[in-house]
Amino acid sequence: MIKILCFICLLGLSYNTTSIMFVNVPSISKLQWHPFTISSNSNLEPEKLSIVIKSEGSWSKKLYQMLSSPSSIDRLEVSVEGPYGPASTNFLRHDTLVMVSGGSGVTPFISIIRELIFASSTIKCKTPQVILISSFKNSSDLTMLDLLLPVAGTPPDLSDLKLKIEAFVTREKQPAAENSKRPQAIWFKPKATDAPITSILGPNSWLWLGAIISSSFVIFLILIGIIDTYYIYPIDHNTNKIFSSSIREFLNMLFICISIVATTSAAVIWNKKQNTMEAKQIQSMEAATVGASPDSWFHNDTELESLPHQSVVQATNMHYGERPDLKRMLFDCKGSSVGVLVCGPKKMRHEVATICSSGLADNLHFESISFSW
């Protein structure tokens, strides 16, 4: 399995965990838009947005071939729409949070774990104990767990996060004899004209919308006052008979449209100028290296240089040649409220739902995350 981790620079964009984003690469297809789960966190990584693309279909394979070709390209145009996601996700209400994933279904849980890292390290909020149960077909797929921590930036503090990872490799009975190919980071040089990802009215769109409405009303009153004083009144003299009422109504509608168009255009132009000024400050990014994969943890101890990655290593239990006993693992979870999230194959989601609804454990609260379109 080949995975592509895409980073997009942004300014002032806020989104919730488990959000999705539609991506279009015009050089591959101008009509195809594909939804991907956002793996980054807007609190922990305020200037980056990342998605994980699994190379399986024809579109993703073409993208991989384009990025891995010997004649590498300096720039890749990508159109995005979103992010779209739930209005709120309150994962902190549980004592224990169990996340069950299969294959690339671990992607939405990456953003949740990063949100919990931010809550525990930055705002010093009490976080639930986190148990991540991930199943993979091959040990090469374990590189998905590399993404639990941000690739670039200051390493987060994991000392306050109670994290336990149970990783299962179902089709291999022992670790691979050779390390899997290390991921490579390819950074494209942005142009100064690249606009940041933000709404048309900027991050404070509601404030701008209120300003547009109030300004439009004020401009409308001014225009109506001017036209009444210098045009309608000299003809009408308040008799309401000489000046046609239909023309008066037409002028009112015309001035309403003029007021709205003028204020909206001014707001959009102002925000575009601000975005252009911010985009000009974007400089060439330095290449970054992805951390060691869990499979290489058992072969090369020199890769454990980062304390946060070492904490993840210590929190991970590897299981080869077996599938997780979900019933036993869920019933062993302690706490008055255990949130159970599952994302993966349909059979896995049904199995977890059946266990949680069996009535044998009253503390399990089930929630399925499905991205089937």
Side-chain angles (χ1 to χ4, degrees), residues 309-329:
H309 280 92
Q310 189 173 3
S311 300
V312 175
V313 172
Q314 295 173 352
T316 303
N317 296 324
M318 300 298 304
H319 307 271
Y320 287 90
E322 59 178 303
R323 297 180 180 275
D325 187 353
L326 296 177
K327 186 174 183 180
R328 177 187 60 79
M329 299 177 75

Side-chain angles (χ1 to χ4, degrees), residues 98-120:
V98 182
M99 296 178 285
V100 184
S101 67
S104 58
V106 72
T107 307
F109 299 146
I110 295 173
S111 61
I112 296 177
I113 291 178
R114 293 186 181 184
E115 176 68 21
L116 295 174
I117 292 175
F118 170 79
S120 63

Side-chain angles (χ1 to χ4, degrees), residues 37-91:
T37 311
I38 295 177
S39 59
S40 56
N41 181 267
S42 60
N43 292 321
L44 196 63
E45 306 156 278
E47 296 183 355
K48 291 185 179 67
L49 185 147
S50 62
I51 58 174
V52 180
I53 303 175
K54 184 177 180 180
S55 182
E56 284 188 336
S58 60
W59 183 87
S60 57
K61 287 182 178 179
K62 289 179 180 178
L63 178 60
Y64 173 76
Q65 293 172 358
M66 182 185 302
L67 298 178
S68 60
S69 61
S71 57
S72 58
I73 54 179
D74 294 333
R75 176 177 171 80
L76 180 66
E77 290 191 7
V78 178
S79 302
V80 298
E81 180 182 341
Y84 300 109
S88 62
T89 50
N90 186 12
F91 303 109

Side-chain angles (χ1 to χ4, degrees), residues 171-214:
R171 295 186 179 180
E172 295 179 7
K173 296 184 178 181
Q174 59 184 0
E178 298 181 358
N179 293 342
S180 58
K181 185 178 179 180
R182 290 290 304 278
Q184 296 179 351
I186 303 175
W187 296 92
F188 297 106
K189 296 180 180 180
K191 289 185 178 179
T193 56
D194 288 344
I197 301 177
T198 184
S199 55
I200 190 65
L201 295 178
N204 300 318
S205 57
W206 286 106
L207 296 177
W208 277 106
L209 185 60
I212 289 173
I213 295 174
S214 57

Side-chain angles (χ1 to χ4, degrees), residues 212 259-271:
I212 289 173
S259 303
I260 294 175
V261 170
T263 53
T264 305
S265 301
V268 171
I269 292 174
W270 173 265
N271 278 281

